[in-house]
Amino acid sequence: MASSARVFTKLRPYIFGAAVGGSVICYGVYNRKNVTVEARTTGAALPAKMKHFMAEPITDLETLQKGKTMRERMELYITDLQAKICHGLEDLDVDKQFVVDRWSRKEGGGGISCVIQDGTVFEKGGVNISVVKGMLPAAAVQQMKSRGKELSDDGPLPFFAAGISSVIHPRNPMVPTVHFNYRYFEVEKPDGSTLWWFGGGTDLTPYYLDEKDVVHFHSTLKEACDKHDPNHYENFKKWCDKYFFIQHRGECRGVGGIFFDDLDSPSQEEVFKFIQSCGNSVLPSYAPIVEKHKNDNYGWRQRKWHLLRRGRYVEFNLVYDRGTKFGLYTPGARIESILMSLPLTARWEYMHEPKDGSQEAELMDILKNPRNWVQ
């Protein structure tokens, strides 16, 4: 992959406003800095339908273009989706581009990590894909067996995994964080048969509640689910609320979305189509919310709350998240990519409680009592 560098001079605000009484008087203090942005070119070797990819795919093109197995089809899909989402987010933060890092793994496979950082709109965000294979270590096998996977051996076992994972942390507290992950997994059993399944989900973490935004987000996901099964949204929304619950805090990480794992019916083809519908709904569910709020005024009170809630995000990801745990268990794992989900900055305060009747307290009530946003 050939690349060159461009230097943009941009103005990045580091103070956005001051709280005066019950209102926010907005003013700007700016510092001027040069920001190096990687300009991406994937070279002339890629076919026309792949020219928009962020980098050359992990699997060799000859094998990939045949698209005979689910492995190749999933890789093509997530590489295409990564590019569409990165370009869509760049359109919302026009003076910043994703830096592309294509990496390989000596145990087998590799990935493409795309990270945007210190933008005007996005403080930090990543849209990563990985296509890896090798031997699943005993710890990971045990984790799968605890979820009911029929694996008679304790490992290691041959495996293949392809997935896309993203977390976007905006700078403005009025813009929610979004997370999505869609993945395909195969494990070869000792008898030579293959165990396969899909998993994934999309969820929203606001810092200040705008009910119209949450309804739009959930409605978009429900529309994607309803194309395949009228029960999917309700079932996977409940699963999401349960999964993204921070047990030691007694609260949800955000306002949910959908989450599912170990999906292997009614057929591989039908589940793959469902995965595509979900992945294709990410930008329509999120981009309008960013566009609506990216220039909203805020002061230090809102920013401090923003950082405190990010602290909760960090707690969940490091203590409970399956993907983080699996990555850390996997030999040759790329730690930078695994921990991409963490924000640049977060905050913890001793015994912090929002004031009764405040916007912050309103959000906390929702996080402790998940709501049905659409019927």
Side-chain angles (χ1 to χ4, degrees):
M1 178 187 72
S3 66
S4 59
R6 296 191 302 229
V7 176
F8 289 86
T9 298
K10 75 166 190 170
L11 297 176
R12 182 168 68 85
Y14 60 87
I15 300 178
F16 285 83
V20 180
S23 62
V24 174
I25 297 176
C26 193
Y27 61 90
V29 179
Y30 297 91
N31 65 337
R32 181 180 293 271
K33 66 181 289 188
N34 289 332
V35 180
T36 300
V37 179
E38 292 298 318
R40 303 173 305 268
T41 57
T42 54
L46 290 181
K49 65 180 180 180
M50 298 182 185
K51 289 289 186 183
H52 65 293
F53 285 2
M54 303 302 284
E56 185 177 333
I58 303 305
T59 302
D60 68 272
L61 291 176
E62 183 178 355
T63 301
L64 201 60
Q65 287 184 283
K66 293 177 182 177
K68 291 183 177 181
T69 71
M70 187 54 67
R71 293 186 178 196
E72 288 106 41
R73 295 174 67 192
M74 185 66 176
E75 180 178 351
L76 276 173
Y77 174 65
I78 60 177
T79 309
D80 176 70
L81 182 63
Q82 178 189 49
K84 289 176 178 176
I85 289 176
C86 287
H87 296 320
L89 294 175
E90 286 175 339
D91 288 342
L92 295 165
D93 201 343
V94 294
D95 63 349
K96 199 71 174 176
Q97 288 186 317
F98 280 86
V99 173
V100 180
D101 180 13
R102 186 182 185 276
W103 51 272
S104 59
R105 176 175 171 269
K106 65 179 182 179
E107 292 83 359
I112 303 168
S113 297
C114 298
V115 177
I116 190 168
Q117 193 163 287
D118 279 326
T120 303
V121 177
F122 302 117
E123 189 170 324
K124 182 186 176 186
V127 185
N128 296 349
I129 65 169
S130 60
V131 181
V132 298
K133 58 186 176 180
M135 299 301 292
L136 200 63
V141 173
Q142 287 302 318
Q143 185 187 21
M144 291 177 180
K145 290 173 74 172
S146 70
R147 301 198 331 254
K149 291 298 178 188
E150 297 180 358
L151 298 170
S152 58
D153 200 334
D154 290 333
L157 293 173
F159 82 98
F160 170 87
I164 180 169
S165 181
S166 175
V167 178
I168 305 298
H169 291 291
R171 185 175 296 280
N172 193 315
M174 304 304 165
V175 183
T177 288
V178 74
H179 158 260
F180 72 90
N181 174 290
Y182 292 100
R183 55 196 178 273
Y184 173 69
F185 214 97
E186 289 182 0
V187 177
E188 185 178 325
K189 299 168 73 173
D191 63 5
S193 62
T194 299
L195 195 64
W196 64 266
W197 67 90
F198 289 89
T202 307
D203 63 280
L204 193 71
T205 302
Y207 306 95
Y208 286 89
L209 186 65
D210 184 323
E211 293 195 7
K212 290 182 179 178
D213 293 344
V214 184
V215 169
H216 164 77
F217 182 79
H218 277 268
S219 297
T220 307
L221 298 184
K222 185 177 186 299
E223 182 179 348
C225 290
D226 286 350
K227 294 176 183 178
H228 303 272
D229 190 311
N231 297 314
H232 271 354
Y233 172 76
E234 181 180 359
N235 292 338
F236 298 156
K237 193 269 185 189
K238 291 178 181 177
W239 199 342
C240 186
D241 289 338
K242 182 178 180 181
Y243 179 77
F244 289 106
F245 186 74
I246 308 172
Q247 296 177 26
H248 62 274
R249 296 288 189 179
E251 63 194 46
C252 294
R253 190 176 76 175
V255 294
I258 58 172
F259 175 84
F260 55 90
D261 206 354
D262 305 320
L263 202 60
D264 57 6
S265 64
S267 69
Q268 191 177 70
E269 185 64 30
E270 288 301 315
V271 182
F272 182 50
K273 288 179 180 178
F274 172 60
I275 290 289
Q276 291 174 292
S277 292
C278 292
N280 295 344
S281 73
V282 170
L283 269 181
S285 71
Y286 184 61
I289 299 174
V290 178
E291 188 64 50
K292 178 180 176 182
H293 294 291
K294 66 180 184 178
N295 295 317
D296 286 1
N297 297 338
Y298 65 91
W300 171 238
R301 191 196 89 188
Q302 289 81 16
R303 176 60 171 171
K304 184 169 72 170
W305 176 250
H306 189 199
L307 297 177
L308 286 167
R309 293 309 308 170
R310 280 185 177 176
R312 299 292 203 267
Y313 206 97
V314 171
E315 289 175 25
F316 176 86
N317 282 26
L318 294 183
V319 176
Y320 300 112
D321 185 66
R322 281 186 193 171
T324 302
K325 287 182 177 181
F326 176 79
L328 295 176
Y329 284 147
T330 304
R334 196 166 188 276
I335 302 302
E336 288 295 323
S337 296
I338 295 169
L339 299 181
M340 170 274 301
S341 63
L342 303 184
L344 274 184
T345 52
R347 183 182 178 97
W348 284 264
E349 289 186 12
Y350 184 71
M351 298 293 288
H352 181 274
E353 291 289 339
K355 292 181 179 180
D356 290 344
S358 65
Q359 291 176 298
E360 293 84 0
E362 177 189 18
L363 176 68
M364 288 306 303
D365 181 64
I366 295 293
L367 298 182
K368 292 181 178 181
N369 302 283
R371 183 187 300 180
N372 292 324
W373 298 98
V374 295
Q375 301 300 320

